[in-house]
Tab-separated table of all heavy atoms in Angstrom:
chain	number	residue	atom	x	y	z
B	25	GLY	N	203.618	-105.109	-17.603
B	25	GLY	CA	202.583	-104.173	-18.035
B	25	GLY	C	202.701	-102.864	-17.293
B	25	GLY	O	201.764	-102.359	-16.696
B	26	THR	N	203.911	-102.287	-17.333
B	26	THR	CA	204.167	-101.059	-16.588
B	26	THR	C	203.481	-99.851	-17.221
B	26	THR	O	202.964	-99.923	-18.333
B	26	THR	CB	205.673	-100.783	-16.545
B	26	THR	OG1	206.163	-100.841	-17.875
B	26	THR	CG2	206.393	-101.806	-15.714
B	27	ALA	N	203.527	-98.738	-16.496
B	27	ALA	CA	202.850	-97.525	-16.965
B	27	ALA	C	203.562	-96.894	-18.161
B	27	ALA	O	202.962	-96.149	-18.913
B	27	ALA	CB	202.778	-96.505	-15.826
B	28	GLN	N	204.879	-97.244	-18.347
B	28	GLN	CA	205.636	-96.593	-19.430
B	28	GLN	C	205.131	-96.984	-20.820
B	28	GLN	O	205.329	-96.284	-21.784
B	28	GLN	CB	207.130	-96.942	-19.348
B	28	GLN	CG	207.835	-96.235	-18.215
B	28	GLN	CD	208.145	-97.203	-17.106
B	28	GLN	OE1	207.320	-98.056	-16.768
B	28	GLN	NE2	209.320	-97.074	-16.509
B	29	GLY	N	204.545	-98.127	-20.938
B	29	GLY	CA	204.136	-98.544	-22.287
B	29	GLY	C	203.227	-99.746	-22.229
B	29	GLY	O	202.889	-100.215	-21.140
B	30	PRO	N	202.843	-100.218	-23.396
B	30	PRO	CA	201.982	-101.409	-23.426
B	30	PRO	C	202.772	-102.622	-22.954
B	30	PRO	O	203.997	-102.603	-22.996
B	30	PRO	CB	201.613	-101.539	-24.904
B	30	PRO	CG	202.703	-100.831	-25.646
B	30	PRO	CD	203.208	-99.767	-24.733
B	31	PRO	N	202.076	-103.633	-22.481
B	31	PRO	CA	202.782	-104.838	-22.047
B	31	PRO	C	203.638	-105.378	-23.189
B	31	PRO	O	203.227	-105.356	-24.344
B	31	PRO	CB	201.652	-105.812	-21.701
B	31	PRO	CG	200.450	-104.965	-21.506
B	31	PRO	CD	200.634	-103.754	-22.359
B	32	LEU	N	204.800	-105.873	-22.837
B	32	LEU	CA	205.770	-106.288	-23.824
B	32	LEU	C	205.218	-107.366	-24.755
B	32	LEU	O	205.470	-107.368	-25.946
B	32	LEU	CB	207.013	-106.817	-23.103
B	32	LEU	CG	208.273	-106.950	-23.940
B	32	LEU	CD1	208.663	-105.606	-24.523
B	32	LEU	CD2	209.397	-107.513	-23.105
B	33	ARG	N	204.422	-108.285	-24.198
B	33	ARG	CA	204.015	-109.414	-25.029
B	33	ARG	C	203.022	-109.008	-26.103
B	33	ARG	O	202.735	-109.753	-27.023
B	33	ARG	CB	203.474	-110.547	-24.160
B	33	ARG	CG	202.102	-110.337	-23.626
B	33	ARG	CD	201.725	-111.441	-22.659
B	33	ARG	NE	200.844	-110.925	-21.631
B	33	ARG	CZ	199.529	-110.802	-21.799
B	33	ARG	NH1	198.976	-111.164	-22.910
B	33	ARG	NH2	198.794	-110.314	-20.818
B	34	ARG	N	202.465	-107.814	-25.987
B	34	ARG	CA	201.502	-107.392	-27.006
B	34	ARG	C	202.202	-106.752	-28.194
B	34	ARG	O	201.592	-106.516	-29.216
B	34	ARG	CB	200.493	-106.425	-26.404
B	34	ARG	CG	199.601	-107.107	-25.394
B	34	ARG	CD	198.381	-106.303	-25.100
B	34	ARG	NE	197.634	-105.979	-26.306
B	34	ARG	CZ	196.629	-105.105	-26.335
B	34	ARG	NH1	196.287	-104.481	-25.235
B	34	ARG	NH2	195.989	-104.854	-27.445
B	35	ARG	N	203.484	-106.432	-28.031
B	35	ARG	CA	204.210	-105.865	-29.161
B	35	ARG	C	204.391	-106.927	-30.241
B	35	ARG	O	204.599	-108.091	-29.943
B	35	ARG	CB	205.581	-105.358	-28.699
B	35	ARG	CG	205.558	-103.869	-28.385
B	35	ARG	CD	206.926	-103.302	-28.506
B	35	ARG	NE	207.640	-103.398	-27.232
B	35	ARG	CZ	208.949	-103.518	-27.154
B	35	ARG	NH1	209.688	-103.595	-28.257
B	35	ARG	NH2	209.539	-103.571	-25.989
B	36	ILE	N	204.342	-106.509	-31.485
B	36	ILE	CA	204.499	-107.446	-32.588
B	36	ILE	C	205.898	-107.275	-33.165
B	36	ILE	O	206.376	-106.146	-33.322
B	36	ILE	CB	203.458	-107.169	-33.690
B	36	ILE	CG1	202.050	-107.340	-33.121
B	36	ILE	CG2	203.675	-108.086	-34.877
B	36	ILE	CD1	200.972	-106.877	-34.047
B	37	ALA	N	206.533	-108.390	-33.453
B	37	ALA	CA	207.818	-108.321	-34.139
B	37	ALA	C	207.520	-108.101	-35.621
B	37	ALA	O	207.019	-108.995	-36.300
B	37	ALA	CB	208.584	-109.611	-33.922
B	38	PHE	N	207.805	-106.902	-36.120
B	38	PHE	CA	207.369	-106.543	-37.467
B	38	PHE	C	208.128	-107.267	-38.565
B	38	PHE	O	207.528	-107.771	-39.505
B	38	PHE	CB	207.447	-105.027	-37.679
B	38	PHE	CG	206.220	-104.338	-37.190
B	38	PHE	CD1	206.224	-103.641	-35.992
B	38	PHE	CD2	205.029	-104.426	-37.909
B	38	PHE	CE1	205.076	-103.030	-35.521
B	38	PHE	CE2	203.875	-103.827	-37.454
B	38	PHE	CZ	203.907	-103.120	-36.250
B	39	VAL	N	209.472	-107.311	-38.427
B	39	VAL	CA	210.253	-107.910	-39.516
B	39	VAL	C	209.829	-109.356	-39.793
B	39	VAL	O	209.515	-109.696	-40.927
B	39	VAL	CB	211.766	-107.782	-39.244
B	39	VAL	CG1	212.568	-108.526	-40.287
B	39	VAL	CG2	212.166	-106.319	-39.187
B	40	PRO	N	209.785	-110.218	-38.756
B	40	PRO	CA	209.351	-111.595	-39.039
B	40	PRO	C	207.930	-111.663	-39.599
B	40	PRO	O	207.664	-112.397	-40.549
B	40	PRO	CB	209.430	-112.287	-37.679
B	40	PRO	CG	210.342	-111.457	-36.869
B	40	PRO	CD	210.197	-110.050	-37.365
Side-chain angles (χ1 to χ4, degrees):
Chain B
T26 52
Q28 286 107 319
L32 196 59
R33 76 186 148 83
R34 293 197 55 191
R35 264 204 271 150
I36 299 171
F38 275 104
V39 174

